[in-house]
Amino acid sequence: MDTKSNEARFVADVLTRAGATPWIVDLSMKSHTLSAADVSGAQVAEAVGVSWQALDERSRQEAAAVMVQGGIRILLERYSKGEIAGAIGVGGANGTNLVCSILRALPYLLPKIMISTVAGTAAVQWYVAESDIAMYPSIGDVSLNRITRAVMENAANAVAIAAANWAARREAKAHAPLVAVSSFGGTAACVERVSQRLQALGYEVILFHASGVGGKSLEQLASSGELAGVVDVTTHELADLVVDGVYSAGAARMTGAGAAGLPQVIVPGAIDHSNFWVGQVPERYKTREFFQYNAQNLLMRTNAEEFRQLGAEFARRVNAARGPVRVLIPVGGFSEHTKRRARDLEGNDKGPWKIPSDYRMFVDSLKRNLMSTSIEELPLHINDNAFADACVDAFFVIANLSDATKSRK
């Protein structure tokens, strides 16, 4: 509010005209005497036990960390009481980083909008990350003129309507239980069959594309209490984690559902390859086998040592799970790419994509490291209907077992 008070009040006025009740939170990192906010910067800092005036002596980074922590605590407290139905921020590069760091902590589907000078830059991938923040480019710098007023009006009206819809959904009756299914082009037939079967059984299905951000979103949603379970057909992002590929979802992949005690069916879907951008393969991998999937994406075949590491990574996550887990392995093939030929970067043929002995390395490593969960090896390809049916049948059994256990408690 020390530099954007006029803009904040303008947005608040638009919200009021749209039928919403604005609630201004001041995130100024240096103390000032303006009093236009409903929650002052002093209150934000005090929420984490810090004096606002003391921030004047701290670095910008340190002050920002305090205001982010305080802002998160205040907004989550109001959210838990049902007192907010949406959030909107306005700022330049530093303001965008500050506000988005807070908005990312809010639950999915709660409307979140950021009016930003950097909404059209590559940095958006960090501001938004795996959240559902809607970015509105401010077009001009954050000040009031006929162009930026129009942008702010559009954004404020959008969040007001979205907030009203969100509040209405919150009051609506319960929906069908929601099951997450991880997806990818190489496992598409399995995913489609699994989704159809789950829907026929009365579940609602949400798909997560296994390209990094999809896996992060799955984990966050699993941790939020929105899911009834996970059929993790496409655990491919762990292959990228092992080799530092471009589709890694980070070390938290395949942990959220387990920590939440949700029923899980886990499949080594598409772990037979990792991903790099065409022309950007790290030097250490340039003698490996590949398949160019499209103009941008180069698939690198997983080797025996990486399969061994993946077995250990899978086991560690399954062992930590607090809910029922079934692991199903399609020994006939982990992805559609098993039908392809591998090539080196010069295009020379390097043999079949699938190497059964490498698959065995994964299975043996997984078995060796698992503490209790059993593994079911099926003589099927992942995209065979029979394998998809086995996944759904397994999920239905453990989901009902989980429900029965909860009922007894």
Side-chain angles (χ1 to χ4, degrees):
M1 291 295 285
D2 55 347
T3 61
K4 301 292 187 294
S5 59
N6 291 334
E7 293 77 12
R9 283 193 290 267
F10 176 80
V11 170
D13 289 343
V14 176
L15 290 170
T16 300
R17 293 197 298 273
T21 302
W23 185 61
I24 299 177
V25 179
D26 184 8
L27 298 176
S28 301
M29 294 185 291
K30 291 189 179 297
S31 60
H32 59 77
T33 57
L34 296 173
S35 58
D38 297 288
V39 178
S40 68
Q43 290 172 297
V44 174
E46 288 165 5
V48 287
V50 178
S51 163
W52 195 30
Q53 286 72 25
L55 298 186
D56 293 345
E57 306 302 321
R58 298 198 184 187
S59 69
R60 177 185 289 272
Q61 187 174 3
E62 291 172 335
V66 169
M67 299 306 283
V68 166
Q69 293 170 15
I72 290 173
R73 182 166 297 182
I74 289 171
L75 262 66
L76 286 179
E77 181 180 357
R78 292 294 292 262
Y79 170 81
S80 67
K81 295 177 180 178
E83 295 175 348
I84 60 172
I88 183 170
V90 58
N94 288 317
T96 298
N97 182 54
L98 189 66
V99 174
C100 286
S101 295
I102 296 171
L103 297 187
R104 287 196 301 271
L106 295 173
Y108 277 127
L109 303 186
L110 182 78
K112 313 167 193 67
I113 285 180
M114 182 69 212
I115 305 165
S116 170
T117 59
V118 291
T121 69
V124 167
Q125 63 181 312
W126 298 297
Y127 297 140
V128 175
E130 63 272 18
S131 74
D132 57 348
I133 301 169
M135 302 292 287
Y136 272 65
S138 59
I139 301 179
D141 204 351
V142 178
S143 60
L144 292 178
N145 53 66
R146 63 188 179 91
I147 301 298
T148 54
R149 280 192 183 95
V151 172
M152 293 179 196
E153 284 177 338
N154 289 342
N157 282 315
V159 78
I161 294 171
N165 290 339
W166 182 87
R169 285 196 305 270
R170 183 177 54 184
E171 300 300 323
K173 60 183 180 181
H175 299 286
L178 182 64
V179 176
V181 179
S182 51
S183 65
F184 218 39
T187 58
C190 181
V191 169
E192 183 176 1
R193 176 81 172 185
V194 165
S195 299
Q196 291 172 348
R197 287 275 325 272
L198 287 171
Q199 289 164 347
L201 290 169
Y203 293 101
E204 187 177 8
V205 175
I206 180 169
L207 303 181
F208 290 94
H209 191 259
S211 54
V213 67
K216 291 178 181 179
S217 298
L218 189 161
E219 300 306 324
Q220 185 168 329
L221 201 64
S223 302
S224 73
E226 290 284 350
L227 297 179
V230 178
V231 181
D232 217 342
V233 172
T234 316
T235 46
H236 161 80
E237 288 150 319
L238 289 178
D240 276 59
L241 174 66
V242 166
V243 302
D244 198 23
V246 297
Y247 280 178
S248 172
R253 182 66 176 92
M254 221 169 83
T255 63
L262 296 176
Q264 299 177 83
V265 170
I266 293 174
V267 177
I271 68 165
D272 55 355
H273 65 277
S274 51
N275 294 265
F276 293 100
W277 303 132
V278 171
Q280 298 182 31
V281 176
E283 189 66 34
R284 64 186 181 277
Y285 296 133
K286 286 189 175 179
T287 60
R288 296 282 295 275
E289 301 81 25
F290 299 89
F291 171 76
Q292 187 165 338
Y293 187 66
N294 56 34
Q296 296 81 31
N297 198 351
L298 199 61
L299 313 185
M300 183 175 78
R301 184 170 64 183
T302 303
N303 67 19
E305 172 57 21
E306 289 155 2
F307 268 125
R308 184 198 64 75
Q309 292 180 54
L310 283 166
E313 292 289 346
F314 271 63
R316 184 166 62 82
R317 289 160 172 78
V318 172
N319 290 339
R322 298 170 58 192
V325 181
R326 289 281 298 277
V327 179
L328 273 63
I329 298 179
V331 295
F334 292 173
S335 78
E336 192 66 18
H337 304 303
T338 54
K339 303 173 184 179
R340 304 186 186 281
R341 304 285 295 180
R343 298 185 181 278
D344 61 21
L345 288 177
E346 285 71 45
N348 300 307
D349 186 273
K350 301 295 287 185
W353 191 261
K354 178 189 173 185
I355 300 178
S357 59
D358 289 357
Y359 274 36
R360 198 70 242 164
M361 187 73 74
F362 167 76
V363 177
D364 291 346
S365 174
L366 178 59
K367 286 181 175 180
R368 188 166 53 251
N369 288 283
L370 274 180
M371 295 170 57
S372 59
T373 303
S374 62
I375 298 172
E376 187 173 357
E377 297 181 59
L378 300 174
L380 300 167
H381 190 277
I382 192 169
N383 285 328
D384 290 343
N385 283 345
F387 182 77
D389 291 343
C391 290
V392 176
D393 293 344
F395 178 77
F396 191 66
V397 170
I398 61 174
N400 286 332
L401 176 64
S402 179
D403 289 343
T405 301
K406 291 176 182 177
S407 297
R408 287 195 297 272
K409 289 181 179 180

